[in-house]
Amino acid sequence: MLIRTPSDIPSSEITPESVYLKRRQFMQGVGAAALGLGLPSAGFAASEDPRKSLDFSPVVKKDGNPFYTDEKTPSFAEASSYNNFYEFGTDKTDPARNAHTLTTDPWSVKVEGHVAKPGNYPLEDIIKLMTLEERIYRLRCVEAWSMVIPWVGFSLADFIKMFEPTSDAKYVEFTTLYRRDEMKGQRSSFSTIDWPYTEGLRMDEAMNPLAFMSVGMYGKTLPNQNGAPIRLVVPWKYGFKSIKSIVRMRFTSIRPKTSWESIAPREYGFYANVNPEVDHPRWTQRYERRLPSSLLSPSRIKTEMFNGYGEQVAGLYKDMNLRRNY
Ligand code: MTE
């Protein structure tokens, strides 16, 4: 994602009653403690605060399930030591080295804009109310590498429904934490990003069943370098859309300006759908390096349209020129 100088840049609808009641109390602003939410979400080992000691036992999924793939995953160590998280530096190994400085507790997500239920929602309440599940997704970076990651989290659509967006909500903007004293990259005078990092989705994209909020991976709490304590995962889009360490979601009627689009609009578009037919101005997007790879085993594979999720998402873009709307 390093860029050049500007001159080079040529549920089903039926909610079980118990869940409904819990959510209603939550939306009325009562904290989890007051609710007596002793119930851990499905799949969890009982724990006071699942965010701290996530120990998730996934239900095994089968082929044909869009939330699953049996492609090889890197080890946890590999997936948490090769990262893009510019708040902690621009080298792939910087986030693992520097992200321990991030405080993730307490954490809350501020919800604002065109919703009936705006507010500041503590993460532990969110996690207890959402149904956690595992999804094994391909993550394809715009830099032409990819990994297969087993995430733990919940459906973004289910999350959004809790805030009751109004008909004026056409987009949702996500914002990462801005905390210079804990995020080395935000203090750097060489940084190209106008902090905080922001991203956005059109509402119908956000409501697509594939869109996911992750709080864990490999059955464990999300490591800081992978976007703790809560991040977005949109597997049919280039990885930069999957914004990390989210503190704000704003529902808007106009398209939000996103970080990479603001820096280099000719290189990084708002849609950023994985598309082997539309090259990046400086490299091809036809192929990708599937990690882990090595000199002897480069693992170069063909990139799939929508990262292989066309069946689920192609309909979102059926009337759009994807060459123009990259
Ligand atoms: N989110 C924030 N806040 N800052 C970042 O620099 N990098 C993005 C995305 N989310 C980034 C971010 C990019 S370019 C990619 S490819 C993915 O995170 C990488 O996720 P991973 O490190 O978990 O593999």
Side-chain angles (χ1 to χ4, degrees):
M1 296 289 286
L2 282 175
I3 59 159
R4 291 180 171 176
T5 57
S7 58
D8 297 328
I9 302 169
S11 96
S12 97
E13 292 306 306
I14 306 154
T15 309
E17 192 186 18
S18 58
V19 174
Y20 168 77
L21 285 174
K22 278 201 290 181
R23 286 191 185 162
R24 202 176 59 166
Q25 284 168 303
F26 173 65
M27 302 314 296
Q28 284 167 349
V30 184
L35 288 173
L37 297 179
L39 295 173
S41 296
F44 270 111
S47 145
E48 273 301 294
D49 184 350
R51 176 182 42 161
K52 286 183 194 141
S53 55
L54 208 148
D55 182 9
F56 188 83
S57 319
V59 180
V60 178
K61 302 226 176 66
K62 292 279 172 273
D63 287 340
N65 182 328
F67 305 146
Y68 169 83
T69 170
D70 61 4
E71 290 157 271
K72 188 175 182 310
T73 54
S75 67
F76 177 86
E78 285 163 332
S80 57
S81 58
Y82 185 94
N83 300 98
N84 272 337
F85 200 171
Y86 275 30
E87 283 83 343
F88 297 104
T90 53
D91 284 351
K92 295 286 177 285
T93 51
D94 284 345
R97 202 175 16 254
N98 300 325
H100 63 275
T101 54
L102 176 67
T103 309
T104 58
D105 184 15
W107 195 276
S108 55
V109 178
K110 191 169 192 186
V111 176
E112 54 187 33
H114 297 295
V115 285
K117 314 270 183 181
N120 207 20
Y121 295 98
L123 184 62
E124 62 266 32
D125 293 4
I126 296 171
I127 293 180
K128 284 175 180 169
L129 286 163
M130 301 310 298
T131 303
L132 292 180
E133 56 181 299
E134 179 170 77
R135 301 228 182 145
I136 307 181
Y137 279 162
R138 294 176 284 276
L139 175 87
R140 169 44 161 99
C141 180
V142 73
E143 298 163 336
W145 55 265
S146 62
M147 286 192 208
V148 174
I149 306 287
W151 303 106
V152 178
F154 50 86
S155 143
L156 175 61
D158 286 351
F159 189 43
I160 287 178
K161 279 182 205 158
M162 301 209 320
F163 310 115
E164 300 178 18
T166 68
S167 56
D168 289 331
K170 307 285 186 231
Y171 297 89
V172 51
E173 177 194 64
F174 300 84
T175 305
T176 294
L177 178 74
Y178 178 62
R179 197 179 282 159
R180 283 167 57 96
D181 52 340
E182 292 188 7
M183 297 173 129
K184 199 176 179 209
Q186 291 182 339
R187 297 195 297 273
S188 164
S189 43
F190 297 106
S191 169
T192 47
I193 297 179
D194 184 15
W195 308 107
Y197 192 104
T198 58
E199 256 310 331
L201 295 173
R202 221 170 52 190
M203 272 303 268
D204 58 346
E205 298 178 312
M207 298 307 283
N208 185 278
L210 280 180
F212 197 60
M213 294 295 271
S214 165
V215 294
M217 60 186 224
Y218 295 78
K220 300 183 176 64
T221 306
L222 209 54
N224 285 3
Q225 58 268 35
N226 289 79
I230 182 166
R231 72 174 290 177
L232 182 67
V233 184
V234 272
W236 70 98
K237 292 178 177 286
Y238 291 122
F240 67 88
K241 298 294 291 183
S242 291
I243 179 172
K244 298 177 169 182
S245 305
I246 295 166
V247 289
R248 190 174 73 159
M249 285 167 64
R250 194 160 64 98
F251 292 80
T252 64
S253 55
I254 52 167
R255 197 167 103 179
K257 258 272 184 249
T258 61
S259 287
W260 283 105
E261 193 193 6
S262 305
I263 297 166
R266 293 198 40 226
E267 302 194 16
Y268 310 107
F270 175 81
Y271 285 96
N273 291 315
V274 175
N275 189 343
E277 302 297 322
V278 178
D279 286 340
H280 184 278
R282 291 184 277 128
W283 59 83
T284 177
Q285 294 291 23
R286 289 201 171 277
Y287 299 92
E288 65 202 57
R289 194 165 43 94
R290 175 59 58 84
L291 302 179
S293 70
S294 65
L295 274 181
L296 289 178
S297 167
S299 305
R300 192 170 186 251
I301 59 172
K302 276 192 169 166
T303 289
E304 301 283 338
M305 187 66 202
F306 298 117
N307 204 18
Y309 298 101
E311 209 176 304
Q312 286 75 39
V313 299
L316 295 169
Y317 312 104
K318 61 181 184 314
D319 300 322
M320 278 176 59
N321 178 335
L322 295 180
R323 202 162 274 284
R324 215 172 312 133
N325 296 288
Y326 50 91

